[in-house]
Amino acid sequence: MSLSSACRRAVTVTAGVTALTLGLALPALAHVSINPGTAEQGGFTKVAFRVPNERDNASTNKIEVSLSTDHPLPFVSVRPVPGWDVKVVESTLPKPVTTEYGEMTKAVTKITWSGGKIEPHQFQEFEVSMGMLPKDTDTLVFPTVQSYTGGEVVKWADPPKADGSEAEHPAPTLKLTPASADGDGHGAASADPSAAPSTPAAQAAPSVTPVAAAQASSSDGTARLLGGAGLLAGIVGVVAGVLGLRRGGRTS
């Protein structure tokens, strides 16, 4: 075999291996995911369901995300996505769940986005704020259904494998970590106040808005200014009186 033939064969083998590797890797990169993938137990968090369209000849036009009924979330809200309609479904739980806010008999069980399009080789993120995150589990799984304009439906619903390897159609999974000592599970909400819905405790707690604080500061400054002016006027009056007495004494 000549050197040139050997080189050509080596290039062909390398190209084949590369194509095979990419072919195996691409499906893993194309699944629906949740970002960020971790949050603290007992707190609030804002996540984005990232939906890529790996098809060449169809657009994604519907996304359905299911929420756990074993670990229901008391507070769920969604951020509007331009061009998409969103429907949040609340259902009766199979059995009541006790939380720090009382017994839950209903909870959000599904969120559906429709009416928009994710064109081929593009992706879209759908943001959701949720809490209080459960403290009795280390994962929340969100089975997701992705529909295409051509009629294809892909179910991303496989739970995480015990051996750590990735499933064929993995469901978006949020890993929950113990709350930090300083944050007590509320770190995500503190980092992004606009993402966290108001809680009964937050509604009851008094607060001073920046405008009120500015008004209070302005009123305090005005009072000090008026008080200083009054003191100065008093001093001037005393001095004038003393000078008047002196002049009167000299005249007499």
Side-chain angles (χ1 to χ4, degrees):
M1 179 184 299
S2 64
L3 181 60
S4 59
S5 299
C7 290
R8 283 196 298 270
R9 177 169 295 183
V11 170
T12 302
V13 172
T14 302
V17 172
T18 302
L20 179 60
T21 302
L22 290 175
L24 292 175
L26 285 177
L29 296 174
H31 60 71
V32 178
S33 60
I34 188 170
N35 297 281
T38 60
E40 290 188 354
Q41 295 173 333
F44 286 91
T45 189
K46 182 184 72 174
V47 299
F49 290 93
R50 183 174 297 171
V51 182
N53 181 6
E54 73 281 7
R55 299 295 184 261
D56 295 323
N57 56 359
S59 299
T60 294
N61 60 357
K62 186 177 180 181
I63 298 294
E64 299 172 86
V65 176
S66 296
L67 282 68
S68 173
T69 56
D70 294 331
H71 303 284
L73 300 170
F75 302 97
V76 176
S77 59
V78 298
R79 173 172 287 181
V81 180
W84 292 79
D85 299 321
V86 61
K87 181 180 180 181
V88 179
V89 176
E90 185 180 60
S91 304
T92 300
L93 299 174
K95 58 180 180 180
V97 176
T98 302
T99 71
E100 59 185 284
Y101 294 108
E103 187 177 75
M104 288 183 61
T105 58
K106 291 185 176 182
V108 174
T109 55
K110 182 180 290 187
I111 306 174
T112 302
W113 290 270
S114 61
K117 283 187 178 181
I118 307 174
E119 302 293 346
H121 310 299
Q122 296 181 5
F123 73 91
Q124 178 67 58
E125 290 188 337
F126 302 89
E127 293 183 334
V128 179
S129 175
M130 58 181 68
M132 307 280 288
L133 298 176
K135 299 178 181 179
D136 57 348
T137 183
D138 57 2
T139 57
L140 282 179
V141 180
F142 300 88
T144 301
V145 179
Q146 181 178 10
S147 301
Y148 291 89
T149 53
E152 181 186 6
V153 175
V154 179
K155 296 182 179 180
W156 303 99
D158 295 342
K161 289 187 176 182
D163 60 3
S165 61
E166 190 172 71
E168 183 178 358
H169 292 90
T173 300
L174 180 65
K175 295 182 179 180
L176 302 179
T177 59
S180 57
D182 55 345
D184 192 27
H186 295 273
S190 300
D192 188 1
S194 64
S198 58
T199 64
Q203 292 172 354
S207 61
V208 179
T209 64
V211 174
Q215 291 174 345
S217 177
S218 176
S219 300
D220 184 59
T222 302
R224 291 181 180 179
L225 179 61
L226 292 175
L231 179 61
L232 179 60
I235 294 174
V236 171
V238 172
V239 172
V242 172
L243 292 177
L245 289 174
R246 287 182 178 180
R247 288 175 183 173
R250 291 174 182 175
T251 304
S252 63

